[in-house]
Amino acid sequence: MPSELDALLSDLPAEEVTGLQNAWAVSDQAREPVAQSTLDAVWANIEAELDNPEATQKDAGPTAKIHTLNPAAQLIPMRWMAVAATILLGAVAAAFLLNPVRVTAPLGEVAVVQLQDGSTVELNSGATLQYPRFFMGSRRVSLTGEAFFDVEKDTKPFIVETFNASVQVLGTTFNVRAWEEGLDAETRVALATGKVALAGEESAETIQLVPGQTGVVRANTLEASQADTVQVRRAQAWRSGHFFFSDAGLGSILDDVARRFDTTITLQPENLRTRRMKLAIEQPASAEAIVKDIVLTLGLQYRQVNGGYEIYASN
C-alpha cells in the first residue's frame, strides 16, 4: 500500500491492516484485464444459485463459496464495508445539504417561503428565490422577480442579490422588484421598516435607505427617493391583489399582468411597449379587466386571441 498511509494505519489492529492490504491488492488486480471466460464462469455460478435457492441456503455457512475475482477479497472485514457505506451516505447527504433550494411562484399565483432563520419571503407570480438549506456566515439569498421580505433580526447580515444589485439588512421588512428582462430592467427596493444598504453589482458605492424611502439600481447607477410611505405601500400593492404603477412602460405593466393571470398579451406595433403611463386598479377580476382599462386610457383597441389578448393601435 502507499507509504503515506502507514502512519494512518499504525493504530489499527493487525488483522484490519491485513484486510486493507488485501483490499488494496484486489483494487490493483481489478484494473487489469479480466478474461471473458472467467467472467462467464462467475455469472454462470451466480445464476445457478439464483435458480436453486435451497442449494444456496444449504451452502451458506463458514465455508460458503464467495464469488470474487480474487479470493483475497474475502478477508476484507465487514467493519470496513460499513465504513465505506457510511462515507458514501455522508457524501450524498453533504451534496444534498450543500445544494441550494430554488423556489418559483407559479404563474397566476404567489408563494410564501419560510427560511430556516425564521425570515419569510412572499414571492410575486413568476418570481424565483434561491437560498441555502442552512445559513453559514452571512444569510445570502438570490432573487429574480418581485418579493416582499420580512427578515428576522440576527447578528448575521441578510443579503439579497439580484441581477445587478445587492441589499444588505439585519432585520427589517422591504419589497424588492428585480426583473432583468423588459423595458424597466432595474432593481427597486421599497423599505417599510428598519434600515437597508443598497449597492450596485459593479460599484463600491452604497446608499442607506430609511423607512418610506425607495432605492433604485439602474444601469449600475444608484438613486434614492425622498421618504414617502404612500409610495412604499403602493410598491406592496401586489400582495393584496392590486395593481399600481406610478410611471412605468406599458410593456412592463403588461408583463406583470401576464404573470399574475398566467396569460399572454401582445402589442402591435411593438414600440407601444415604451409608452409610459400610470395605472391603479384594486383587485381586478381578470386580465381582460386591466386590458380594457389600458386601451380606454390610451385610445387603443384589443381583441382576444388564442392564449390571451392582443392590444393594437386603431390606425
Side-chain angles (χ1 to χ4, degrees):
M1 300 181 69
S3 58
E4 58 267 23
L5 294 180
D6 289 345
L8 297 176
L9 300 178
S10 60
D11 295 330
L12 294 178
E15 64 273 13
E16 294 189 359
V17 173
T18 301
L20 287 176
Q21 289 171 337
N22 289 331
W24 188 268
V26 169
S27 69
D28 279 345
Q29 294 184 18
R31 288 191 287 270
E32 297 176 357
V34 179
Q36 184 62 41
S37 59
T38 302
L39 295 176
D40 292 341
V42 170
W43 281 114
N45 288 334
I46 293 174
E47 290 171 351
E49 290 187 0
L50 291 175
D51 292 336
N52 189 4
E54 292 183 359
T56 302
Q57 294 174 2
K58 181 179 179 181
D59 289 342
T63 60
K65 183 178 181 181
I66 300 176
H67 296 292
T68 176
L69 296 181
N70 189 321
Q74 299 175 38
L75 300 177
I76 301 175
M78 291 300 296
R79 172 181 171 181
W80 290 103
M81 293 182 183
V83 169
T86 302
I87 292 173
L88 178 60
L89 290 174
V92 172
F96 172 78
L97 294 175
L98 293 176
N99 191 39
V101 180
R102 183 182 177 90
V103 178
T104 298
L107 296 177
E109 303 178 27
V110 298
V112 177
V113 180
Q114 183 80 42
L115 301 179
Q116 52 97 5
D117 68 336
S119 300
T120 58
V121 185
E122 187 174 347
L123 297 173
N124 202 349
S125 303
T128 297
L129 182 74
Q130 183 168 296
Y131 59 95
R133 297 180 188 277
F134 297 96
F135 290 125
M136 294 179 288
S138 63
R139 299 175 290 168
R140 190 179 299 270
V141 303
S142 176
L143 173 70
T144 299
E146 186 168 26
F148 182 82
F149 291 82
D150 187 347
V151 178
E152 284 291 313
K153 291 184 178 180
D154 197 302
T155 55
K156 298 177 182 177
F158 190 100
I159 300 171
V160 182
E161 295 179 337
T162 72
F163 73 98
N164 71 336
S166 66
V167 186
Q168 181 169 323
V169 304
L170 289 178
T172 184
T173 57
F174 58 100
N175 195 82
V176 180
R177 179 182 174 87
W179 291 108
E180 184 175 4
E181 305 295 332
L183 179 64
D184 298 314
E186 62 185 21
T187 293
R188 182 177 293 269
V189 179
L191 181 61
T193 63
K195 183 184 295 185
V196 304
L198 177 62
E201 182 181 45
E202 299 177 359
S203 173
E205 183 183 1
T206 300
I207 57 174
Q208 304 286 332
L209 300 181
V210 298
Q213 273 192 302
T214 298
V216 181
V217 178
R218 185 186 300 113
N220 214 40
T221 60
L222 291 170
E223 300 176 12
S225 71
Q226 296 295 319
D228 185 345
T229 56
V230 174
Q231 288 296 328
V232 172
R233 286 200 300 271
R234 288 174 175 174
Q236 304 174 41
W238 63 269
R239 300 177 62 209
S240 302
H242 308 313
F243 279 82
F244 184 89
F245 294 89
S246 59
D247 179 31
L250 180 56
S252 294
I253 294 173
L254 293 179
D255 286 345
D256 263 36
V257 176
R259 283 189 290 263
R260 176 67 63 85
F261 292 98
D262 191 12
T263 188
T264 59
I265 305 175
T266 58
L267 288 167
Q268 294 295 333
E270 187 69 16
N271 61 15
L272 285 174
R273 292 183 63 85
T274 62
R275 190 160 178 179
R276 306 194 77 80
M277 65 174 297
K278 296 181 179 180
L279 178 70
I281 303 179
E282 292 186 3
Q283 297 181 329
S286 64
E288 187 172 16
I290 302 176
V291 169
K292 285 181 178 179
D293 224 33
I294 290 173
V295 299
L296 182 63
T297 301
L298 299 181
L300 301 171
Q301 302 290 325
Y302 86 96
R303 54 179 164 247
Q304 194 164 0
V305 297
N306 186 28
Y309 305 91
E310 180 184 61
I311 297 176
Y312 59 95
S314 57
N315 50 20

